[in-house]
Amino acid sequence: MASSATAASLRPSLGAAAAAFRLTSSSSSPASRICPSILLLQTSSFSTSSPLSKRHTYPGARSNKDMSKNRGQSALRRTGLRWRLSMSDEPLPKPRSRDELPPVEVDPDHGLWDFFPNRETVAAAPEDDMKHGRAWMVEELRGKSWEDLHRLWWVCVKERNRIATGSWERERGKMGFGKSEAQTRDREVRNTMRGIKHVLTERFYAWEDAVKLAENDPEVDLSGKGRVFTPTEYLEEEGAVETKAEEEVVGSREAVEAEAVVVPPGEKAQGEAARI
């Protein structure tokens, strides 16, 4: 049984070798008189299972998945593919041209527009970056309220983001201009932010000192119940005002009682008749 199986498996190879031998024997060229085994190697196909080299995924196709987990591994080093590969006859998607794409709707009031100096350019021109004033001084910022300092701080943050965006676009596009002007403008903005921090630090230290003094001040109540600041002079003045108001009320009442006149009954009747 084994011999018959071996003979059946070798029959195609023997037929190809005999055909190659007949070709070499019939040719008169010396170059064609070569070993039949070499011709066999040159004329044989790369793979005897060509249908398995492509995986079909269309509906109704038969499954030809390779179930061998060791496919592609070396017999000596046991190395091969680190991940599975798949093949398919589906066509690859083709990119669409820009003209065929639908227009993109952009919000005209979107907040990201603030990262650019205007909507026509991605970076400001050097002459536009040089149109700026000096930084705010600490003496000027001391007179600002907390709300004003808060607004000014975020205006500086927005300006720094705009300068950074323009600098990044110049580096990306290799424009080669505007770097020095942008750095000068950014330096003035940073000096303003440094002054705001200085003023807020002074106010924080003053607040800490005020809290320490208030803890030992009998006129200040930090418990959170009732009036926070109650000066002693205010209490004395308030008591004096209340006493004076009471005296005025009592005096006016006595004056009204003194001016009241008791009318006799007869005169009262005559007065009512005259009025009628």
Side-chain angles (χ1 to χ4, degrees):
M1 186 68 181
S3 61
S4 62
T6 305
S9 61
L10 292 177
R11 189 176 295 110
S13 301
L14 294 176
F21 181 75
R22 286 196 299 270
L23 290 175
T24 54
S25 60
S26 60
S27 176
S28 59
S29 175
S32 61
R33 296 188 181 91
I34 56 179
C35 181
S37 61
I38 297 178
L39 286 177
L40 177 62
L41 293 176
Q42 291 180 348
T43 57
S44 62
S45 60
F46 175 76
S47 175
T48 58
S49 59
S50 57
L52 296 178
S53 62
K54 190 173 185 179
R55 185 173 300 169
H56 300 280
T57 57
Y58 55 86
R62 62 185 181 87
S63 176
N64 54 359
K65 182 178 179 181
D66 190 3
M67 305 302 294
S68 177
K69 297 182 179 180
N70 298 326
R71 182 72 65 190
Q73 292 185 359
S74 173
L76 298 178
R77 302 180 182 274
R78 295 293 181 183
T79 58
L81 301 176
R82 296 297 185 268
W83 54 85
R84 292 181 177 271
L85 299 179
S86 62
M87 293 178 291
S88 175
D89 57 348
E90 295 181 356
L92 296 178
K94 296 181 180 180
R96 299 175 61 182
S97 62
R98 187 180 297 271
D99 299 334
E100 298 177 359
L101 296 177
V104 179
E105 297 181 0
V106 180
D107 186 6
D109 298 330
H110 201 280
L112 291 178
W113 286 115
D114 293 335
F115 282 87
F116 303 95
N118 51 64
R119 302 186 182 184
E120 285 75 20
T121 58
V122 295
E127 54 270 15
D128 294 336
D129 280 340
M130 290 302 297
K131 295 178 182 179
H132 61 83
R134 61 172 178 83
W136 284 80
M137 301 177 64
V138 177
E139 292 79 6
E140 299 171 342
L141 295 173
R142 286 195 180 108
K144 298 290 183 181
S145 63
W146 163 257
E147 290 76 11
D148 293 339
L149 293 178
H150 185 79
R151 295 189 189 97
L152 183 58
W153 174 268
W154 286 110
V155 168
C156 294
V157 170
K158 183 187 294 185
E159 185 64 25
R160 291 206 66 193
N161 287 334
R162 189 176 299 161
I163 295 172
T165 303
S167 301
W168 186 84
E169 290 290 344
R170 291 190 190 95
E171 293 292 335
R172 185 180 65 87
K174 299 180 180 180
M175 300 180 184
F177 62 86
K179 183 177 181 180
S180 177
E181 292 80 4
Q183 290 178 351
T184 304
R185 188 183 186 93
D186 185 67
R187 188 181 304 112
E188 297 297 333
V189 177
R190 285 189 286 109
N191 289 337
T192 299
M193 300 176 74
R194 188 179 296 110
I196 294 174
K197 287 183 177 181
H198 183 84
V199 172
L200 294 179
T201 303
E202 288 180 348
R203 294 182 181 181
F204 178 73
Y205 290 158
W207 177 79
E208 283 187 337
D209 296 340
V211 171
K212 292 179 181 179
L213 293 175
E215 290 176 352
N216 302 323
D217 193 347
E219 299 179 353
V220 179
D221 184 11
L222 299 179
S223 62
K225 300 177 181 179
R227 190 189 297 271
V228 178
F229 180 63
T230 308
T232 307
E233 298 179 358
Y234 174 77
L235 292 176
E236 294 177 355
E237 293 178 358
E238 185 179 1
V241 170
E242 292 179 355
T243 304
K244 186 177 180 180
E246 291 177 358
E247 292 177 356
E248 291 178 354
V249 170
V250 173
S252 60
R253 185 181 303 168
E254 292 177 354
V256 170
E257 291 177 355
E259 292 178 358
V261 178
V262 179
V263 181
E267 296 180 359
K268 182 177 181 181
Q270 292 178 0
E272 291 179 356
R275 185 172 66 254
I276 293 174

